[in-house]
Amino acid sequence: GQQLNQSPQSMFIQEGEDVSMNCTSSSIFNTWLWYKQDPGEGPVLLIALYKAGELTSNGRLTAQFGITRKDSFLNISASIPSDVGIYFCAAVRSNFGNEKLTFGTGTRLTIIP
Amino acid sequence: SAVISQKPSRDICQRGTSLTIQCQVDSQVTMMFWYRQQPGQSLTLIATANQGSEATYESGFVIDKFPISRPNLTFSTLTVSNMSPEDSSIYLCSCTRDRTYEQYFGPGTRLTVT
């Protein structure tokens, strides 16, 4: 089935560093979403993207909807300890009556003291 | 957004038994979904819970094993039937509002089958 490949699989960074991660697919999607999941919690929606080329920010987070509609990127500036967690991309093809999300494989972010 | 609660938050069950997980949303929503997730792994959609009709199951998931109810626009249940250790996982419900694709998730139910 459809699959979204996230890269990198894991990241080890120091506090204050910027972070970049991406999500790619062989298929076209019309909506891209980015989630963060903390241990023992459900995923929390960070950013939603609806137009190819769109660049959207949420505080220190910035995400872009790739122009080919086959990828998306998430950047985190000046990382802080609470950024630790697993980040998932998700996408929707927007077929009429089909609102299912396809989830990426996840990027685990760890901050090294 | 939406505030979603799930009960129980965790449970340890014996094989062969069944567990019903409840999902409650703070206001009416159009669609509700049930997912399964192994710790640290991605989410796998089990089914879409439709209000007033049968749930729509994804490939590999069947109604006899995972019966779902959705009696109204704020509540749904997922039952994991005749459990085996392979059913040990985190079960999450989510919802969307109106005609957006933004899904909001509950905190999950961590199930361990012994």
Side-chain angles (χ1 to χ4, degrees):
Chain A
Q2 303 169 32
Q3 203 168 28
L4 302 180
N5 298 308
Q6 281 188 246
S7 178
Q9 188 174 15
S10 59
M11 304 182 72
F12 297 85
I13 62 167
Q14 291 190 324
E15 185 176 348
E17 285 186 30
D18 296 342
V19 171
S20 291
M21 60 188 78
N22 66 67
C23 189
T24 60
S25 173
S26 58
S27 302
I28 289 175
F29 290 91
N30 292 317
T31 299
W32 287 86
L33 307 169
W34 284 92
Y35 288 87
K36 176 178 183 278
Q37 187 174 27
D38 292 329
E41 302 291 330
V44 173
L45 181 63
L46 300 174
I47 292 178
L49 302 158
Y50 293 100
K51 291 174 62 175
E54 178 182 356
L55 187 71
T56 298
S57 293
N58 178 6
R60 294 178 295 106
L61 277 61
T62 302
Q64 183 160 26
F65 189 147
I67 196 71
T68 65
R69 293 192 287 158
K70 292 183 179 181
D71 54 15
S72 181
F73 308 87
L74 176 69
N75 296 315
I76 305 172
S77 62
S79 58
I80 60 177
S82 61
D83 292 333
V84 166
I86 303 178
Y87 291 80
F88 290 102
C89 63
V92 185
R93 282 196 163 180
S94 298
N95 293 330
F96 179 77
N98 180 357
E99 285 90 355
K100 293 188 295 186
L101 292 184
T102 298
F103 275 84
T105 49
T107 294
R108 182 184 294 271
L109 179 62
T110 302
I111 293 185
I112 306 167
Chain B
S1 64
V3 177
I4 304 175
S5 60
Q6 285 185 233
K7 289 182 183 179
S9 59
R10 58 177 61 229
D11 207 342
I12 300 173
C13 301
Q14 291 193 338
R15 70 172 67 210
T17 63
S18 298
L19 176 71
T20 296
I21 302 168
Q22 299 179 6
C23 179
Q24 178 73 56
V25 189
D26 64 340
S27 57
Q28 293 184 350
V29 293
T30 50
M31 302 189 73
M32 297 182 73
F33 305 86
W34 287 97
Y35 290 84
R36 186 166 70 181
Q37 182 185 31
Q38 295 295 327
Q41 303 297 313
S42 189
L43 285 75
T44 300
L45 181 64
I46 297 171
T48 302
N50 303 307
Q51 197 268 332
S53 64
E54 274 196 3
T56 304
Y57 289 84
E58 297 301 301
S59 176
F61 298 97
V62 295
I63 187 171
D64 290 346
K65 176 67 176 177
F66 298 100
I68 287 171
S69 78
R70 183 147 181 222
N72 57 51
L73 293 175
T74 63
F75 186 77
S76 178
T77 67
L78 169 75
T79 298
V80 186
S81 302
N82 189 24
M83 289 184 285
S84 66
E86 291 72 34
D87 295 320
S88 297
S89 191
I90 300 167
Y91 292 84
L92 295 149
C93 72
S94 71
C95 68
T96 57
R97 290 190 181 284
D98 302 322
R99 288 193 169 275
T100 75
Y101 299 111
E102 299 167 16
Q103 285 190 24
Y104 300 94
F105 285 83
T109 295
R110 183 179 289 264
L111 171 62
T112 302
V113 183
T114 60

